[in-house]
Amino acid sequence: MSHLSIGQHIRSYVLRQGRLSAGQQRAIDQWFPKWGIVFANDKGTLSFNEIFQRTAPTVLEIGFGMGEPTIKIAKTFPDKNFIAIDVHGPGIGNILKLIEQEELTNVRVIRHDAVEVLNHFIPPHSLAGVHIFFPDPWPKARHHKRRLIQKPFIDKLTEYLEEGGYIHLATDWQEYAEQMLDVLSQCDKLKNTTTGYSDRPDYRPLTKFENRGLKLGHGVWDIIFRKESQ
Ligand SMILES: C[S@@+](CC[C@H](N)C(=O)[O-])C[C@H]1O[C@@H](n2cnc3c(N)ncnc32)[C@H](O)[C@@H]1O
């Protein structure tokens, strides 16, 4: 375990097995060997230059779901590398299919708990950005401890950012948005890129789900902080 490890942790997800379509399974069998990175906790940290065969800013996405926004963003920024992490089988199949369909070469996929991926696999001070869009809100008070965005996690995440690197969060759950803003504001090494919540940057596409919510008058909150030079 690296020195940045926070050891045993409460999972921020519940693994729902099944419901993997034949197409998603095929995509995993066929394309994971090409675009997937198999997690290992005993092989040291990744070399992004080796994986992507180039030197480029690398953005990590945690919890990409079905992966459509990830793919749109990767198409918008061909000069950046994207490492997309999730644990959800159908989403893994779907994103692999999309990478192939769009002929993208700048996305790699890891199927594992992002907390462990950070602990063992990501070199410190290596990330140009981190995207966490609509993390599970765990609305019940007794489940709040499962929320990903908490001070120890964000402190750790910050250690993996380069100077000037950013963390971009989005949520449609107001009370979680307030917690996110509070947590990031408490991190000495991070600075808000604006006052309070950010406007949605053009690069983050509206999801179908978000569009529907917005029409019903529900809010969405973007939060973008940058790591300050020390
Ligand atoms: C509510 S979904 C949002 C998906 C997507 N970002 C979107 O906007 O549609 C949250 C996703 O985060 C994933 N997730 C939650 N905790 C995770 C963790 N510790 N490591 C990897 N993925 C995680 C879940 O499997 C799920 O796919």
Side-chain angles (χ1 to χ4, degrees):
M1 243 181 227
S2 87
H3 64 293
L4 298 172
S5 164
I6 54 170
Q8 282 292 343
H9 64 279
I10 299 167
R11 304 258 178 260
S12 57
Y13 57 88
V14 173
L15 254 194
R16 290 182 194 83
Q17 295 302 351
R19 285 184 299 136
L20 199 68
S21 73
Q24 287 158 351
Q25 184 61 59
R26 246 195 331 272
I28 293 176
D29 295 342
Q30 215 172 343
W31 305 123
F32 194 85
K34 190 167 170 195
W35 305 119
I37 305 172
V38 178
F39 173 74
N41 61 13
D42 58 354
K43 300 226 158 55
T45 55
L46 298 174
S47 158
F48 300 152
N49 288 355
E50 232 170 73
I51 290 168
F52 292 95
Q53 295 287 302
R54 64 174 184 176
T55 303
T58 300
V59 174
L60 184 77
E61 180 172 6
I62 298 177
F64 58 78
M66 296 305 278
E68 279 94 356
T70 318
I71 295 297
K72 282 194 186 149
I73 296 172
K75 273 175 82 171
T76 307
F77 298 108
D79 294 337
K80 292 186 183 180
N81 301 329
F82 293 87
I83 296 187
I85 309 179
D86 208 300
V87 288
H88 179 60
I92 303 285
N94 201 58
I95 200 171
L96 291 166
K97 211 167 60 188
L98 294 173
I99 293 172
E100 274 296 311
Q101 259 169 28
E102 300 293 339
E103 300 180 2
L104 290 176
T105 57
N106 60 336
V107 182
R108 296 296 182 278
V109 179
I110 301 179
R111 183 180 189 172
H112 200 79
D113 184 339
V115 175
E116 288 184 20
V117 173
L118 283 169
N119 280 344
H120 298 286
F121 229 29
I122 303 295
H125 317 296
S126 65
L127 299 172
V130 175
H131 296 168
I132 309 179
F133 300 149
F134 305 95
D136 299 285
W138 294 107
K140 292 183 185 151
R142 68 190 160 89
H143 287 151
H144 284 182
K145 56 182 181 293
R146 285 180 170 270
R147 287 180 172 173
L148 199 54
I149 309 306
Q150 310 206 41
K151 181 82 168 30
F153 176 73
I154 293 296
D155 279 341
K156 180 154 65 112
L157 201 51
T158 304
E159 296 299 320
Y160 295 92
L161 287 177
E162 306 167 340
E163 282 187 4
Y166 67 92
I167 297 177
H168 180 180
L169 310 177
T171 183
D172 56 355
W173 197 263
Q174 182 166 8
E175 181 260 324
Y176 197 12
E178 286 163 8
Q179 174 175 335
M180 290 175 174
L181 191 56
D182 202 38
V183 162
L184 270 66
S185 302
Q186 283 173 31
C187 294
D188 298 341
K189 291 183 180 158
L190 294 176
K191 190 170 185 315
N192 200 341
T193 55
T194 181
T195 306
Y197 300 104
S198 299
D199 292 333
R200 177 177 62 85
D202 290 338
Y203 66 77
R204 185 177 72 72
L206 272 182
T207 62
K208 274 181 239 152
F209 159 77
E210 185 178 357
N211 231 339
R212 208 167 14 180
L214 287 172
K215 280 188 194 136
L216 292 169
H218 300 166
V220 170
W221 293 269
D222 284 81
I223 296 167
I224 308 175
F225 277 58
R226 237 172 234 297
K227 183 168 173 177
E228 298 217 272
S229 345
Q230 297 296 306

